Amino acid sequence: MINRDISIDFLGVHFENPFCLSSSPVGNCYEMCKKAYQAGWAGVVFKTIGPKSFVVDEVSPRFDKLDKEDTPFVGFKNMEQIAEHPLEENLRDLRKLKNEFPNKVLIASIMGTDEKTWEELAKLVEEAGADIIEMNLSCPQMTSHAMGSDVGTNPELCKKYCQAVKRGSKLPLLAKMTPNITDMTVVAKACKEGGADGIAAINTIKSICNIDLEKKVGLPIINGKSSISGYSGKAVKPIALRFISQLNNDEDLNLPISGIGGIENYQDALEFILLGASTLQVTTAIMQYGYRIVEDLNNGLMHYLEDHKIEKLADIVGVANKNIVPAENLDRSYKVSLHFDSDKCIGCGRCVISCYDGAHQALTFNSKKRRPEIDKEKCVGCHLCKLVCPVSAISAAEIKMKPGRKGKPETKVI
């Protein structure tokens, strides 16, 4: 029996595993959060609670998706705003969840319109039993410019609002960042100055997924119109990982991170952890597959730790960051040649087309043998052919030093 420690201590709070519902439609009420706890999620970030004065009025329909050939959707567009339930009902749900699940982690996501409402909300959710407060500084589809991602791009405003929350509560404070910005670390540092104890990243990316070509309207269509709103799912993972790594590598920031953005399986989860996230938040995968995915997530982490003889998950948080370096520091002294497995090859010619039209014209197609042939002098080792091959018939072969470059091929790691 595999017995590895996948628990995490984060902001002074113990998580039995790193997985939480993110603040979103998947944690919208008591019943949903209860079911998630029972399924094995360590924590929930209850859907963002706003001030009593802010009225949520949603559109219908409110979702769209981005497809890729015959795959399930890779990207998801969401036009929902914050929790639509009355403030009193949300606070009642928080109390009930904490009373029934005292050993689970309850994170209250809040969003104010000014310093006063941020401070008031912080006080109310602490009284309701929250373990941690997450400040939603980043929702991209709010109808008020005093709330959401418009706030999250303003360092001074974020700092001021963090200070307000700290006046209202002594709970650990997570500041949730917007990716709709060039450099997230600037805002994150401002939040730290304001009292934030940790960073949550990323929120969704402003997007238009699709246009109806007949009606000439973006999707989803609401009475002949559409709007820009948040994009999530597997397609945003590379962007999320970039921000996580940058946050983790900034020595002046030095805050724990809760990672969000396209986590569907344990491999995705490990990527976030290796780049510096301690806890992980999930939405879109739950909307596709349900709360039960947490069993696979936990089991996958256990098996990975077992296979790599690692005792506890906390030991590998951020360890991959030392291998993320500026582009100018990469070793450019060699190229990696390719091996074509003729037994696996199905003769589709896809590699030849990609090489000729998108790379360096190093491949030709032998029509008699129905197999690609490589001109090693023209090949630069870009590996585009390897990536487009549908049957993995192309693999990395030997390392060769470029003419005039010093070094031993056997010392190179690929």
Side-chain angles (χ1 to χ4, degrees), residues 145-270:
H145 292 290
M147 305 169 79
S149 60
D150 287 349
V151 173
T153 59
N154 186 323
E156 287 304 313
L157 201 53
C158 288
K159 177 181 176 180
K160 186 165 62 174
Y161 287 164
C162 285
Q163 290 171 332
V165 170
K166 278 298 188 180
R167 290 195 297 271
S169 170
K170 296 180 180 179
L171 291 178
L173 174 60
L174 269 176
K176 189 173 183 179
M177 300 286 98
T178 177
N180 301 296
I181 191 170
T182 304
D183 186 355
M184 188 181 289
T185 60
V186 175
V187 179
K189 288 176 185 177
C191 291
K192 180 181 180 180
E193 291 175 8
D197 302 293
I199 299 297
I202 61 174
N203 208 326
T204 53
I205 300 168
K206 289 184 177 182
S207 71
I208 298 174
C209 272
N210 300 288
I211 298 289
D212 185 307
L213 300 183
E214 299 302 319
K215 297 177 181 176
K216 301 175 180 61
V217 182
L219 299 178
I221 298 173
I222 295 90
N223 192 23
K225 306 293 182 183
S226 192
S227 70
I228 293 169
S229 64
Y231 186 58
S232 64
K234 194 80 165 186
V236 311
K237 186 186 77 168
I239 299 167
L241 292 176
R242 165 238 167 162
F243 280 118
I244 297 296
S245 180
Q246 288 180 323
L247 291 169
N248 190 266
N249 275 332
D250 194 302
E251 295 180 358
D252 294 329
L253 182 60
N254 193 29
L255 288 180
I257 301 168
S258 185
I260 316 164
I263 299 169
E264 288 190 358
N265 52 47
Y266 82 90
Q267 294 96 331
D268 298 329
L270 281 164

Side-chain angles (χ1 to χ4, degrees), residues 46 74 111 122 177 268 355:
F46 196 88
V74 294
M111 183 188 292
M177 300 286 98
D268 298 329
C355 182

Side-chain angles (χ1 to χ4, degrees), residues 46-108:
F46 196 88
K47 190 175 181 183
T48 303
I49 299 171
K52 194 171 186 177
S53 59
F54 185 76
V55 178
V56 175
D57 191 12
E58 299 286 11
V59 296
S60 174
R62 63 192 71 164
F63 301 137
D64 190 25
K65 62 175 182 172
L66 185 69
D67 294 317
K68 178 68 170 69
E69 296 167 349
D70 60 347
T71 62
F73 67 75
V74 294
F76 186 73
K77 182 185 179 187
N78 173 16
M79 298 178 72
E80 278 199 5
Q81 300 179 77
I82 61 176
E84 73 271 27
H85 307 299
L87 176 60
E88 293 79 8
E89 182 179 337
N90 290 322
L91 295 172
R92 185 170 63 247
D93 283 356
L94 292 180
R95 293 189 193 96
K96 196 171 180 181
L97 287 166
K98 197 59 194 176
N99 286 336
E100 291 185 23
F101 301 92
N103 296 322
K104 297 283 189 176
V105 181
L106 180 60
I107 303 172

Side-chain angles (χ1 to χ4, degrees), residues 315-328:
D315 290 342
I316 61 171
V317 173
V319 299
N321 270 309
K322 65 179 183 295
N323 299 319
I324 303 295
V325 299
E328 62 268 23

Side-chain angles (χ1 to χ4, degrees), residues 134-150:
E134 181 179 274
M135 294 179 66
N136 188 339
L137 299 165
S138 46
C139 179
Q141 54 256 11
M142 296 307 297
T143 56
S144 167
H145 292 290
M147 305 169 79
S149 60
D150 287 349

